[in-house]
C-alpha cells in the first residue's frame, strides 16, 4: 500500500529524519520531518493551470501548531485551535521568504505550502524542521522550484557557535539566528543578538550556511527516489518578447524622466502618467499583457541608473542616510513618546508602563508564560497616501513589530531591576522605506523619554542591493521603490556597541560573503550616524518616570505568608486594593509589587502588607482594637490581621469580676506581648501598660504561688460527688 522513502542523518547531536510516501499522498509533495522528537508534516500543492489575470506568483504558506503535539488540550470555550498565533504567523513568513525567490519567474499557478507541527518534544523548536520540510516537499513535488534549500539555527555560547541549540541552551546564548539558503549561498537570515560585532554575526551566518549543506544533501537523496516528473514551464512567447520591446521603446524616456522626481508622491504621479501614455498607444490585446512589461521596464531603468551612475532615485549616493528629525514628549499624557522622521518615513511611537497585571499571557506548546515587553506595529493606509481597508492585524504588521521587538529587547533592563510591564506602539504615519527600522529608533527614544533605563539606545537601518552581471551596488537607507525593485532587503539594528537584530531577504538565488560584509560595514556607519542624530533629542533615559506613570515598589515576603496576604478567596489582597487604590501583584516566590501614582497610598498598602507578614515581638507594646469579648478575656487585633488574647487576669492589677467592666468590643487599647501559648497564639497584657500614655508600668502584682499539680490559676470547678447506687 505504501511506497515509503525514509532517510536520516545525525545533525547537531540529534537525528534528522525525512520520510515520504506514507502520509498525505494526494498532495504534490508531502514529507514528515522529525528532529529529535519534534515532527512536522509539510505538504506542497500547486494548481495545474495558472491563475488568470495576474502578474505575480500566488504563493501562500501556512505553519500551524496543534496542541496535541505537546499533549495539551486547547483552552477556551471551543476547545480547538483558533486564529493563528503570533508564533504561527512569524514561522509562516520565515518559510515563505527563502522559498519564494526560487520558483521559476514565469510560474503563475496558485501554490500552497502547509506545515503542521504534530509532535513537539519541548526541546527542539519545530520551525527549523518546518523550513526543511517545506523545501523537501517542494523538491519532490515536480513544481518548478529551483531548490532545495537548507536551514539551521545558530547560537553563541561562551564564545562558540552552537548548531541548533536546545531551549535550555538558547536561554544562555547571546545569539538566536536562523539562516536558510541554497548550496551556493544564503537567502534569508533572521536573528536576535546581545550587541554582537559584525564579525561574529557574519561568522554565525557562514557557520549556519556550512552546517545546512548536510540537510541539502539529505533532501537530494530523498528526491532521487521519490521526486515526481517536473512540470513544464511556459517560456515567454515571441509575441510577449515583441510587446516588451515595444513597451520599452514607447515608455523608457518618460519613465526615466519620472524617476528624476525626488518627491515620492509627485514621482508616483509621473510614473503613473508615463504608464498610462504607453497603454494608450497599445491595442486592447496588447494592453492585457503590458503590465508585466511595464514593471520590467521600470525595474531596468532604476537599476541601470544606480549601477551606471551611482546616483539613486532621490539624488543620494549609495551610502548617505536621508535627513533625520527626532522629537520626544510629543504627547502630553503618555508615559513616553517620540516622533521619528527619516526622509519620507515617519513613526509616532508611544511607550506605556504598566504593572504585572498587564503582562501578556502566552499559551504556547512549550507551556504558558508571560511577556512583560510588547511592541506593536501599525501601518495604516494613509501612511502611503491610500484609502485602504482597515481590519485585523496583518502578517506584515506582526512581522515588522516582531523585528523591532527583537532589536530593542536585548537592551532592556532586567525585570528584577525595573518591575514594569512595557508596551510600545509604533504608528507609522508616513512610509517610504524601512518603517520597521524607524520603529526601532522611535521605540528607543520613547522608552528613554518614559524613564525606562535602557542599557544603550538602539537604531536600525535598511540596506539594499542592485546586482547585475556587470556589477553591483549596496545601498544604505533604501527607499520603498529601491526595496521593491532591488535584490535585497537587509535590515540591521543595534547600539554603538554591536548588533541586536539582523534580518535579510534575498530576491535572487544568493549573495556572496563579500557583499554581506560590505552591507554590514555600511550598515554600521549608517547606524552610528542615526544614533548621533537621536542623541540630539535625548541620549540617555530620564531619571524620573512620567507623573502619569504608576510607581511600583517591590517587597518580598516569606512564601509561607503568601496565603495570609492573599486571604481566603483573595479577600485580604482585594481589600488592600480597594481601600488604598493601589494595584498589588504577588507571585509564587513571595515577590510583591505595589503600583500607584500616589506615593502615600502605596506606602499605606506596603505598611498593611508588612503588618500582615511581620511577626509580633515579645516585650513590645502595640496599639490594638478589641474585636471580641468572652468570659475569660478579650481578643485584640493589634498587628495587622493578627489577634491576641488578653486574659481576664491581665486586664488590671486587681481582681476583675467581668471583662466588660474594663473593656468592650470596639475599644482601642494598648497591649504588651508577653508570650505565646503552646499553639502559637499570642498572649497579651493590658495591666502593665499605661492606657493613656502607652508607657510600660512596673508589674506590682505579687507572683502567683504555684498550685499543687500545676501552675494553672484558672478557678477549678468542685468535683461532683459520685452517685451511690
Amino acid at each position: 500500500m505504501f511506497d515509503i522513502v525514509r532517510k536520516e542523518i545525525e545533525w547537531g547531536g540529534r537525528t534528522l529524519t525525512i520520510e515520504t510516501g506514507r502520509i498525505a499522498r494526494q498532495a504534490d509533495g508531502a514529507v514528515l520531518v522529525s528532529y529529535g522528537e519534534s515532527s512536522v508534516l509539510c505538504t506542497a500543492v500547486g494548481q495545474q493551470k495558472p491563475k488568470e489575470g495576474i502578474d505575480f506568483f500566488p504563493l501562500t504558506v501556512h505553519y500551524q501548531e496543534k496542541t496535541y503535539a505537546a499533549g495539551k488540550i486547547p483552552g477556551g470555550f471551543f476547545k480547538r485551535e483558533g486564529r493563528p498565533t503570533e508564533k504561527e504567523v512569524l514561522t509562516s513568513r520565515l518559510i515563505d521568504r527563502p522559498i519564494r525567490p526560487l520558483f521559476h519567474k514565469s510560474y503563475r499557478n496558485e501554490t500552497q505550502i502547509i506545515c503542521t507541527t504534530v509532535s513537539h518534544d519541548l526541546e527542539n523548536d519545530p520551525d527549523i524542521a518546518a523550513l526543511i520540510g517545506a523545501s523537501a516537499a517542494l523538491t519532490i513535488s515536480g513544481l518548478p522550484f529551483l531548490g532545495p534549500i537548507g536551514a539551521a539555527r545558530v547560537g553563541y555560547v561562551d564564545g562558540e557557535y552552537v548548531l541548533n541549540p536546545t531551549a535550555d541552551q538558547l536561554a544562555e546564548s547571546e545569539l538566536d539566528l536562523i539562516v536558510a539558503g541554497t548550496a551556493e549561498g544564503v537567502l534569508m537570515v533572521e536573528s536576535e543578538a546581545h550587541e554582537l560585532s559584525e564579525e561574529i554575526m557574519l561568522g554565525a551566518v557562514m557557520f549556519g550556511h556550512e552546517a545546512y549543506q548536510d540537510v541539502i544533501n539529505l533532501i537530494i537523496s530523498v528526491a532521487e527516489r521519490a521526486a515526481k516528473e517536473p512540470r513544464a514551464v511556459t517560456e515567454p512567447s515571441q509575441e510577449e518578447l515583441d510587446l516588451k520591446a515595444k513597451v520599452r521603446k514607447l515608455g523608457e524616456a518618460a519613465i526615466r524622466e519620472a524617476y528624476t522626481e525626488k518627491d515620492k508622491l509627485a514621482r508616483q504621479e509621473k510614473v503613473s502618467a508615463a504608464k498610462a501614455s504607453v497603454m494608450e498607444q497599445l491595442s486592447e490585446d496588447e494592453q492585457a499583457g503590458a503590465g508585466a512589461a511595464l514593471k520590467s521596464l521600470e525595474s531596468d531603468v532604476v537599476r541601470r541608473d544606480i549601477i551606471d551612475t551611482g546616483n539613486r532615485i532621490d539624488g543620494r549616493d549609495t551610502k548617505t542616510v536621508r535627513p533625520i528629525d527626532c522629537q520626544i514628549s510629543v504627547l502630553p499624557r503618555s508615559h513616553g513618546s517620540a516622533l521619528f522622521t527619516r526622509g519620507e518615513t515617519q513613526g509616532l511611537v508611544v511607550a506605556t508602563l504598566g504593572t504585572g497585571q498587564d503582562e501578556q499571557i502566552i499559551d504556547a506548546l512549550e507551556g504558558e508564560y508571560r511577556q512583560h515587553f510588547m511592541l506593536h506595529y501599525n501601518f495604516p493606509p494613509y501612511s502611503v497616501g491610500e484609502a485602504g481597508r482597515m481590519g485585523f492585524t496583518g502578517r506584515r504588521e506582526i512581522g515588522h513589530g516582531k523585528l523591532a521587538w527583537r532589536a530593542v529587547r536585548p537592551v532592556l533592563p532586567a525585570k528584577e531591576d525595573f518591575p514594569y510591564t512595557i508596551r510600545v506602539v509604533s504608528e507609522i504615519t508616513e512610509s517610504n522605506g524601512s518603517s520597521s527600522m524607524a520603529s526601532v529608533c522611535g521605540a528607543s527614544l520613547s522608552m528613554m523619554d518614559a524613564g525606562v533605563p535602557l542599557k544603550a539606545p538602539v537604531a536600525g537601518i535598511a540596506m539594499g542591493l542592485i546586482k547585475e552581471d556587470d556589477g553591483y551596488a549596496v545601498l544604505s537607507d533604501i527607499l520603498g521603490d529601491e526595496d521593491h525593485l532591488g535584490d535585497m532587503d537587509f535590515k540591521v539594528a543595534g547600539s554603538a556597541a554591536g548588533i541586536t537584530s539582523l534580518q535579510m531577504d534575498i530576491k535572487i538565488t544568493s549573495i556572496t560573503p563579500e557583499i554581506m560584509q560590505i552591507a554590514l560595514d555600511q550598515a554600521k556607519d549608517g547606524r552610528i550616524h542615526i544614533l548621533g542624530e537621536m542623541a540630539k533629542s535625548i541620549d540617555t533615559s530620564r531619571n524620573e518616570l512620567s507623573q502619569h506613570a504608576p510607581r511600583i515598589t517591590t517587597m518580598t515576603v516569606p512564601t509561607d505568608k503568601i496565603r495570609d496576604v492573599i486571604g481566603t478567596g483573595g479577600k485580604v489582597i482585594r481589600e488592600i486594593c480597594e481601600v488604598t487604590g493601589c494595584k498589588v501583584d504577588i507571585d509564587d516566590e513571595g515577590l510583591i509589587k505595589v503600583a500607584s501614582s500616589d506615593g502615600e497610598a502605596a506606602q499605606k498598602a506596603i505598611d498593611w502588607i508588612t503588618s500582615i507578614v511581620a511577626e509580633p515581638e515579645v516585650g513590645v507594646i502595640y496599639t490594638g482594637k478589641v474585636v471580641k469579648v468572652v468570659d475569660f478575656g478579650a481578643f485584640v487585633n493589634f498587628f495587622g490581621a493578627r489577634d491576641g488574647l488578653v486574659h481576664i487576669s491581665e486586664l488590671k492589677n486587681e481582681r476583675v469580676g467581668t471583662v466588660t467592666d474594663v473593656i468592650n468590643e470596639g475599644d482601642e487599647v494598648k497591649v504588651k506581648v508577653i508570650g505565646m501559648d503552646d499553639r502559637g497564639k499570642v498572649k497579651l497584657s493590658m495591666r502593665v501598660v499605661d492606657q493613656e500614655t502607652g508607657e510600660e508600668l512596673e508589674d506590682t502584682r505579687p507572683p502567683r504561688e504555684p498550685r499543687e499539680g500545676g501552675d494553672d490559676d484558672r478557678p477549678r470547678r468542685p468535683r461532683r460527688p459520685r452517685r451511690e447506687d
Side-chain angles (χ1 to χ4, degrees):
M1 176 180 289
F2 301 113
D3 183 14
I4 299 174
V5 176
R6 179 186 176 91
K7 299 285 185 177
E8 64 181 41
I9 58 172
E10 288 300 312
W11 189 51
R14 279 138 287 170
T15 302
L16 173 67
T17 304
I18 300 179
E19 176 192 297
T20 186
R22 183 159 62 109
I23 304 175
R25 292 173 295 165
Q26 295 187 46
D28 290 322
V31 297
L32 181 68
V33 177
S34 299
Y35 191 54
E37 292 184 345
S38 292
S39 300
V40 184
L41 174 64
C42 302
T43 62
V45 175
Q47 298 291 7
Q48 293 295 327
K49 295 182 179 180
K51 200 166 185 177
E52 296 294 335
I54 61 171
D55 58 356
F56 63 92
F57 173 37
L59 170 68
T60 56
V61 178
H62 299 279
Y63 169 82
Q64 52 190 3
E65 294 181 336
K66 301 298 183 180
T67 56
Y68 59 71
K72 296 173 60 178
I73 295 175
F77 183 78
F78 293 104
K79 297 298 177 186
R80 69 178 300 162
E81 293 81 3
R83 61 178 299 180
T85 64
E86 182 182 87
K87 166 71 181 301
E88 290 172 319
V89 170
L90 293 171
T91 307
S92 297
R93 287 171 55 87
L94 196 72
I95 298 168
D96 184 298
R97 286 156 49 195
I99 66 174
R100 185 177 291 271
L102 295 182
F103 282 88
H104 195 281
K105 298 303 180 185
S106 63
Y107 182 63
R108 295 289 184 269
N109 299 31
E110 188 169 2
T111 302
Q112 186 179 61
I113 312 295
I114 299 177
C115 300
T116 307
T117 296
V118 293
S119 179
H120 193 350
D121 60 11
L122 309 184
E123 181 176 300
N124 298 289
D125 196 316
D127 53 5
I128 295 298
L131 256 168
I132 294 170
S135 170
L138 286 168
T139 301
I140 67 173
S141 67
L143 300 179
F145 175 69
L146 307 178
I149 65 168
R153 172 175 265 109
V154 180
Y156 191 67
V157 181
D158 296 329
E160 299 289 338
Y161 296 119
V162 179
L163 177 61
N164 297 329
T166 63
D168 291 339
Q169 289 175 316
L170 270 180
E172 304 297 325
S173 177
E174 297 180 76
L175 173 67
D176 181 6
L177 180 143
I178 296 176
V179 57
T182 62
E184 291 75 27
V186 174
L187 285 168
M188 185 275 296
V189 177
E190 184 80 51
S191 68
E192 178 182 342
H194 291 268
E195 298 181 283
L196 298 179
S197 69
E198 282 71 14
E199 291 73 22
I200 292 175
M201 295 299 290
L202 182 57
V205 173
M206 293 299 101
F207 176 84
H209 171 66
E210 183 178 351
Y212 67 60
Q213 299 303 315
D214 293 337
V215 175
I216 291 176
N217 293 332
L218 178 66
I219 294 173
I220 291 173
S221 68
V222 172
E224 287 174 344
R225 290 191 52 191
K228 296 180 180 178
E229 289 296 320
R231 292 190 189 181
V233 178
T234 304
E235 296 293 342
S237 64
Q238 187 59 48
E239 289 77 9
E240 290 173 322
L241 295 175
D242 292 342
L243 176 60
K244 186 175 181 180
K246 184 176 181 179
V247 166
R248 175 176 291 276
K249 182 178 179 180
L250 293 173
E252 182 174 1
I255 288 180
R256 190 176 298 279
E257 171 63 25
Y259 270 101
T260 61
E261 174 60 55
K262 296 180 181 180
D263 180 76
K264 175 187 173 182
L265 295 180
R267 181 170 62 249
Q268 288 178 339
E269 289 181 3
K270 289 185 176 181
V271 170
S272 296
K275 290 180 178 180
S277 175
V278 171
M279 295 294 279
E280 290 174 358
Q281 300 177 64
L282 300 176
S283 66
E284 290 187 10
D285 290 341
E286 289 175 328
Q287 289 176 0
L294 283 168
K295 184 176 180 180
S296 175
L297 172 60
E298 188 179 1
S299 176
D300 289 345
V301 167
V302 173
R303 294 167 64 89
R304 283 300 345 159
D305 281 355
I306 293 174
I307 292 289
D308 294 340
T309 68
N311 293 324
R312 297 159 65 179
I313 297 171
D314 58 358
R316 287 180 293 151
D317 61 25
T318 58
K319 297 181 180 181
T320 300
V321 177
R322 289 171 289 174
I324 292 173
D325 179 79
C326 302
Q327 301 175 28
I328 59 171
S329 302
V330 294
L331 303 177
R333 292 290 298 187
S334 66
H335 299 164
S337 59
L339 184 68
F340 179 85
T341 308
R342 186 188 60 243
E344 295 173 303
T345 296
Q346 184 182 78
L348 176 64
V349 188
V350 184
T352 307
L353 305 180
T355 68
Q357 297 177 13
D358 300 310
E359 291 181 343
Q360 185 173 16
I361 301 174
I362 307 295
D363 186 16
L365 288 185
E366 297 84 358
E368 185 176 287
Y369 63 94
R370 291 173 174 264
Q371 281 186 351
H372 75 287
F373 173 55
M374 297 161 278
L375 197 154
H376 298 147
Y377 166 100
N378 297 314
F379 192 86
Y382 66 75
S383 65
V384 289
E386 296 178 356
R389 184 180 66 87
M390 296 287 287
F392 293 112
T393 306
R395 286 188 172 191
R396 180 182 181 276
E397 290 176 303
I398 292 174
H400 279 37
K402 192 66 173 181
L403 173 59
W405 180 89
R406 289 193 182 104
V408 174
R409 190 176 72 143
V411 300
L412 292 180
K415 187 178 179 181
E416 296 76 20
D417 300 329
F418 191 74
Y420 287 85
T421 297
I422 306 168
R423 183 188 184 225
V424 175
V425 179
S426 176
E427 305 284 359
I428 301 303
T429 51
E430 300 176 16
S431 180
N432 184 15
S434 192
S435 55
S436 62
M437 295 297 96
S439 299
V440 171
C441 301
S444 187
L445 291 169
S446 66
M447 285 193 287
M448 288 193 292
D449 183 46
V452 179
L454 300 183
K455 298 174 185 176
V458 172
I461 186 171
M463 311 297 295
L465 173 70
I466 304 295
K467 188 174 184 294
E468 298 289 353
D469 294 338
D470 57 347
Y472 64 86
V474 177
L475 313 178
S476 295
D477 183 24
I478 56 175
L479 303 173
D481 288 333
E482 292 170 338
D483 182 11
H484 175 64
L485 301 174
D487 297 320
M488 178 179 74
D489 184 9
F490 190 101
K491 297 184 175 74
V492 186
S495 66
I499 294 172
T500 56
S501 182
L502 188 154
Q503 184 187 85
M504 183 182 75
D505 293 304
I506 303 298
K507 301 174 186 177
I508 52 180
T509 54
S510 65
I511 62 170
T512 64
E514 176 192 7
I515 293 177
M516 287 188 64
Q517 183 65 65
I518 293 172
L520 284 169
D521 291 341
Q522 277 188 217
K524 182 178 181 179
D525 293 339
R527 185 173 82 247
I528 299 301
H529 168 73
I530 296 171
L531 286 169
E533 294 298 305
M534 292 166 56
K536 294 177 181 178
S537 59
I538 185 170
D539 60 354
T540 188
S541 299
R542 297 191 187 279
N543 294 325
E544 294 291 332
L545 301 180
S546 163
Q547 61 177 338
H548 305 298
R551 265 60 176 176
I552 297 181
T553 305
T554 61
M555 60 185 297
T556 303
V557 302
T559 54
D560 60 344
K561 297 291 184 181
I562 295 175
R563 180 180 298 178
D564 297 333
V565 177
I566 296 175
T568 305
K571 177 182 178 182
V572 175
I573 198 169
R574 192 162 51 245
E575 183 182 4
I576 295 172
C577 294
E578 291 173 353
V579 172
T580 65
C582 301
K583 287 185 177 181
V584 181
D585 297 329
I586 184 168
D587 65 15
D588 295 338
E589 303 300 322
L591 178 65
I592 297 179
K593 300 176 186 176
V594 178
S596 175
S597 55
D598 184 343
E600 185 177 338
Q603 190 59 50
K604 183 177 180 181
I606 292 168
D607 293 342
W608 193 333
I609 296 169
T610 300
S611 69
I612 294 173
V613 301
E615 293 292 341
E617 299 181 36
V618 175
V620 177
I621 295 173
Y622 298 92
T623 299
K625 187 175 183 180
V626 179
V627 293
K628 187 177 182 181
V629 175
V630 292
D631 292 341
F632 54 85
F635 290 96
V636 176
N637 176 229
F638 72 101
F639 197 78
R642 296 291 296 271
D643 294 342
L645 173 65
V646 180
H647 191 267
I648 190 172
S649 62
E650 294 292 336
L651 290 173
K652 300 187 74 173
N653 279 324
E654 57 188 56
R655 188 179 182 280
V656 176
T658 305
V659 175
T660 53
D661 291 342
V662 180
I663 55 175
N664 292 284
E665 189 172 320
D667 289 350
E668 186 175 280
V669 297
K670 294 176 175 60
V671 294
K672 177 182 177 182
V673 178
I674 58 175
M676 304 280 183
D677 65 16
D678 295 339
R679 296 175 296 172
K681 302 297 184 182
V682 181
K683 295 191 294 185
L684 305 173
S685 175
M686 288 175 54
R687 68 181 181 83
V688 295
V689 183
D690 187 319
Q691 294 300 309
E692 295 293 331
T693 65
E695 296 292 329
E696 186 173 0
L697 301 174
E698 184 179 353
D699 190 353
T700 60
R701 191 171 67 179
R704 295 175 296 168
E705 293 292 334
R707 301 174 66 93
E708 185 177 349
D711 60 354
D712 190 354
D713 65 347
R714 289 179 297 180
R716 298 183 181 275
R717 297 174 62 184
R719 174 176 287 181
R720 181 178 296 175
R722 182 178 296 174
R723 295 176 61 185
E724 298 291 339
D725 292 334

